Amino acid sequence: MNPKLASLHPYPFEKLADLKRGRLPPADKPHIAMSIGEPQHPTPHFIAEALLQHLHGLASYPTTKGGPELRRCIAQWLERRFDLGEGGVDPERQVLPVNGTREALFAFAQAVIDPAEQPLVLMPNPFYQIYEGAAILAGAEPFFLNTTAESGFLPDFDAVPETVWRRCRLVYVCSPGNPTGAVMGGDQQRRLLELAERYDFIVASDECYSELYADEADPPAGLLQTAAAMGNTEFRRCVVFHSLSKRSNAPGLRSGFVAGDADILGRFLLYRTYHGCAMPLTVQKASERAWADEIHVRENRALYRRKFDAVATVLGDVLDLTVPSAGFYLWLRTPIDDTAFAAGLFEAQNVTVLPGRFLSRPSGGVDPGTGHVRIALVAPLEECVVAAHRIKQFIQTL
Ligand SMILES: Cc1ncc(COP(=O)(O)O)c(C=O)c1O
């Protein structure tokens, strides 16, 4: 077996299952799960209809590169959503469909990392655990960039030692962030791209929450947008990852894309051809429809906004709480240890939240996940409000 498998950490939900094992919640309170980031708003009908209309696509092998219609549709979406300058995005060379961003974020490191260089892969901490596993299995060492309240829950690139930049070959960033909802501004992205030029590394920007934002007038910036504004219209060293899972409430469709630097994507396509992860034609057709529509995405944002408002109104009485500008998570500072909080809340109120330390690693003498829990506002509004009242009751007993 690959010896690197032994270095992989258990997934956060395995740790959560261990924490809950043997604990009995009250039988009279139905369980409310706020631990998993799985969207639960209904998938738009027109996406399901498009799947049905194109079931005949099951009769053909799809190509790894994806059909020209889907790539064109994605390029147009990118151009509408982000200000990409005159050249825009070339659907032939700068876009590839992926079967959800999870597999692509993982596969990307396997394609771009040369383990012989003793490379570092930088990533935020706390983080989406796939980045770490991807780095380890690619033969790189993960290097964690702590994101704390003091740094606005964003990585501080200026605090990274030069020796680290010299070994860095790939940086994962996540904006809007999971779990904190923090959004990287254009200035910070610009700084990262300058560092990428100086030290010769690639930036993988996970933007799968980019369409869930609080202010309709202020959508999060994307890395390609910042690159274009700097005159880097070929998106050198940049690859962005986008998904329909959160934007369109279609996590089961397994549909997303990567876009950016044509040279990097050309080699990633070669890798993917062998990896064998072409998107089924049926899914491609449904995805075209989803990327072309914004009405359902606006409605989706409105639903999350209502939930954030309602939950913050309840919890604001007992906690100093910040509603993030994007995403669907509350990153709550806990009055007691985060694992004790999650375990106690489950036992007292039958609500499951995720302890912050299950999403982070100790680094530089601190563990930035401790003392926090991640609360996913994915359940329907009424259920989120019931959960908020139960969390409040629990906090009042501490
Ligand atoms: C930060 C982040 N990136 C990527 C993903 C993967 O999403 P998908 O594979 O559904 O596109 C998730 C899913 O929860 C996530 O939270």
Side-chain angles (χ1 to χ4, degrees), residues 100-102 105 128 131 174 178 206 208-209 243 245-246 254:
T101 45
R102 181 183 182 132
L105 287 161
Y128 180 53
Y131 313 147
C174 183
N178 171 4
D206 179 352
C208 79
Y209 292 92
S243 173
S245 299
K246 326 281 181 187
R254 310 311 302 131

Side-chain angles (χ1 to χ4, degrees), residues 120-342:
L120 293 175
V121 173
L122 276 53
M123 61 198 69
N125 185 31
F127 57 101
Y128 180 53
Q129 195 159 309
I130 298 302
Y131 313 147
E132 181 193 49
I136 291 172
L137 284 184
E141 192 186 325
F143 183 91
F144 300 112
L145 305 167
N146 291 348
T147 64
T148 58
E150 292 70 45
S151 65
F153 297 114
L154 293 166
D156 179 2
F157 300 124
D158 290 321
V160 176
E162 166 129 27
T163 47
V164 169
W165 286 128
R166 287 193 188 288
R167 284 178 59 201
C168 172
R169 287 293 162 269
L170 173 65
V171 176
Y172 284 107
V173 285
C174 183
S175 175
N178 171 4
T180 67
V183 174
M184 272 174 86
D187 283 355
Q188 212 194 359
Q189 290 177 332
R190 179 183 285 265
R191 175 81 185 118
L192 181 59
L193 290 178
E194 284 163 4
L195 289 161
E197 280 295 320
R198 175 146 23 119
Y199 293 104
D200 189 20
F201 60 81
I202 297 170
V203 181
S205 182
D206 179 352
E207 301 181 3
C208 79
Y209 292 92
S210 70
E211 303 317 290
L212 306 183
Y213 47 87
D215 182 353
E216 283 297 315
D218 189 20
L223 189 73
L224 299 188
Q225 181 177 6
T226 300
M230 292 168 74
N232 178 3
T233 51
E234 287 294 315
F235 313 123
R236 219 172 34 255
R237 303 179 190 286
C238 305
V239 177
V240 296
F241 296 72
H242 280 273
S243 173
L244 290 176
S245 299
K246 326 281 181 187
R247 173 188 180 271
S248 299
N249 296 311
L253 190 65
R254 310 311 302 131
S255 178
F257 68 82
V258 295
D261 187 315
D263 288 341
I264 297 171
L265 289 194
R267 282 173 288 162
F268 190 35
L269 172 60
L270 174 66
Y271 172 87
R272 294 179 68 74
T273 307
Y274 282 84
H275 194 70
C277 44
M279 181 186 286
L281 288 171
T282 307
V283 176
Q284 290 191 39
K285 289 294 164 198
S287 305
E288 285 169 28
R289 294 287 314 281
W291 288 115
D293 182 78
E294 290 300 330
I295 296 169
H296 75 283
V297 192
R298 267 197 300 278
E299 288 167 357
N300 197 24
R301 278 195 289 274
L303 281 178
Y304 284 117
R305 231 169 264 140
R306 251 176 267 149
K307 291 198 272 189
F308 271 118
D309 287 350
V311 168
T313 305
V314 177
L315 288 181
D317 291 346
V318 285
L319 283 172
D320 184 13
L321 173 135
T322 314
V323 172
S325 55
F328 54 48
Y329 301 110
L330 272 176
W331 182 239
L332 208 75
R333 189 186 284 277
T334 50
I336 55 171
D337 170 85
D338 51 304
T339 48
F341 185 92

